[in-house]
Amino acid sequence: MASQKTKRLVITTVIVATIIVSAALLAFRLRPAALATIRSVASGSAADRMSDLPRVILWAWERPEDLRFINPQEVGVAYLAATVTLRGERTIIRPRMQPLALAPATRRIAVARVETDGRPLLSEDQRHRVVAELTKLAGGENVEAIQIDFDARASERAFYRALLVDLRKQLPESMRLSITALASWCLGDNWISDLPIDEAVPMLFRMGADRENIQMRLKAGDPFSTPLARHSLGISTDEPLAVRPGGRRVYVFNPRPWSAESVGQITREVQ
């Protein structure tokens, strides 16, 4: 009888030890990003992998820009690097055509604008071509993150999700992945909550017909339902702030070329 109990004890000990060792090996093999995701799920909030970037980030769109005057410790730049148009079965890639001057120490995010024209096929071949082009952006000088600007319709979301999954697999482990997000995506429409990204930037300007409703919800303190959208905001210099930044990272669009004066003004406003 004692011998049987001893055997059961030994077997139980071996099983428990095997489980512990397996868990330790799994944790060792997981990437830091995956471990951060596990911790964030357990705590109910998303970790901010982009927290080391400057609090103010200027969008530099398709026009000549000279931003060598900015303080890299306070301001970063998210520059349009490529525009992708999906038209029928075609994938049209247009690289940035306008000059951009930056100081060597400037923290940089390469932005890709994705547009659909007419009735795109949204095929597997198109997805692979887009992923290949976006992966190249990660090799740009001092690029620390890739950002995708795609106002995907409901019918385009499955394609967008698959694209992001493929892109995440192709990017280096250290490369952060960001997307811009319609405000409605972050206030109840939770389709982006499980995307393999590091942040979703709520676009709080050019909001169209939903503008008043969204502003009312934000002023009432309604939080963004998606944790990935709680670390940053997207605003424009020609529209009043819809919500106080409150320590969040702020991406700023300017319909006019940036100047030392306009950068100084928006920096003071945000701070």
Side-chain angles (χ1 to χ4, degrees):
M1 192 72 171
S3 177
Q4 290 180 350
K5 288 182 178 180
T6 301
K7 288 181 180 179
R8 284 198 295 268
L9 180 59
V10 170
I11 292 172
T12 302
T13 302
V14 170
I15 292 173
V16 171
T18 302
I19 293 173
I20 292 173
V21 171
S22 299
L25 288 173
L26 178 60
F28 179 77
R29 290 173 182 172
L30 281 174
R31 295 180 173 183
L35 290 172
T37 301
I38 292 173
R39 288 194 293 268
S40 68
V41 169
S43 64
S45 63
D48 183 9
R49 284 190 72 214
M50 304 182 72
S51 60
D52 64 308
L53 291 170
R55 189 180 172 198
V56 177
I57 299 179
L58 310 179
W59 271 308
W61 224 237
E62 185 66 284
R63 63 179 176 232
E65 291 279 16
D66 186 345
L67 293 168
R68 287 174 292 186
F69 61 84
I70 65 173
N71 180 351
Q73 302 301 317
E74 297 181 354
V75 180
V77 175
Y79 66 96
L80 180 68
T83 301
V84 179
T85 303
L86 303 175
R87 180 182 299 155
E89 62 181 16
R90 298 174 61 198
T91 304
I92 304 167
I93 311 293
R94 184 174 180 268
R96 182 183 183 89
M97 305 297 290
Q98 301 295 335
L100 174 65
L102 300 173
T106 303
R107 312 287 295 279
R108 309 173 194 196
I109 298 174
V111 182
R113 170 66 182 170
V114 179
E115 301 175 345
T116 53
D117 187 2
R119 295 184 178 180
L121 195 59
L122 302 180
S123 66
E124 183 176 347
D125 178 66
Q126 286 179 312
R127 188 177 80 245
H128 289 166
R129 282 206 59 194
V130 176
V131 169
E133 289 298 325
L134 297 182
T135 303
K136 292 178 185 177
L137 299 182
E141 183 180 1
N142 289 350
V143 170
E144 299 188 35
I146 301 296
Q147 186 176 82
I148 303 177
D149 181 35
F150 182 19
D151 302 333
R153 303 182 181 92
S155 59
E156 298 167 342
R157 291 180 180 180
F159 173 85
Y160 195 12
R161 178 184 294 276
L163 187 153
L164 290 169
V165 169
D166 287 353
L167 179 59
R168 181 68 274 172
K169 292 176 182 177
Q170 296 298 321
L171 288 176
E173 179 184 335
S174 60
M175 185 60 56
R176 278 79 63 92
L177 182 56
S178 165
I179 68 169
T180 62
L182 299 179
S184 60
W185 294 356
C186 310
L187 287 168
D189 185 352
N190 252 355
W191 80 274
I192 65 172
S193 62
D194 60 345
L195 293 178
I197 58 177
D198 296 301
E199 74 167 354
V201 184
M203 304 292 277
L204 302 183
F205 63 100
R206 311 292 194 270
M207 291 185 284
D210 289 338
R211 177 183 175 82
E212 289 189 13
N213 178 49
I214 290 171
Q215 286 187 328
M216 286 178 60
R217 292 181 62 176
L218 292 174
K219 288 178 180 178
D222 195 358
F224 294 118
S225 55
T226 302
L228 287 166
R230 294 175 185 169
H231 303 296
S232 57
L233 299 172
I235 65 174
S236 178
T237 59
D238 62 348
E239 291 189 22
L241 291 175
V243 62
R244 290 183 178 276
R248 284 170 283 203
R249 193 165 41 259
V250 179
Y251 291 82
V252 190
F253 173 77
N254 190 345
R256 299 180 178 85
W258 286 106
S259 66
E261 182 181 358
S262 59
V263 171
Q265 181 177 345
I266 197 65
T267 302
R268 289 190 297 272
E269 225 178 297
V270 168
Q271 293 176 349

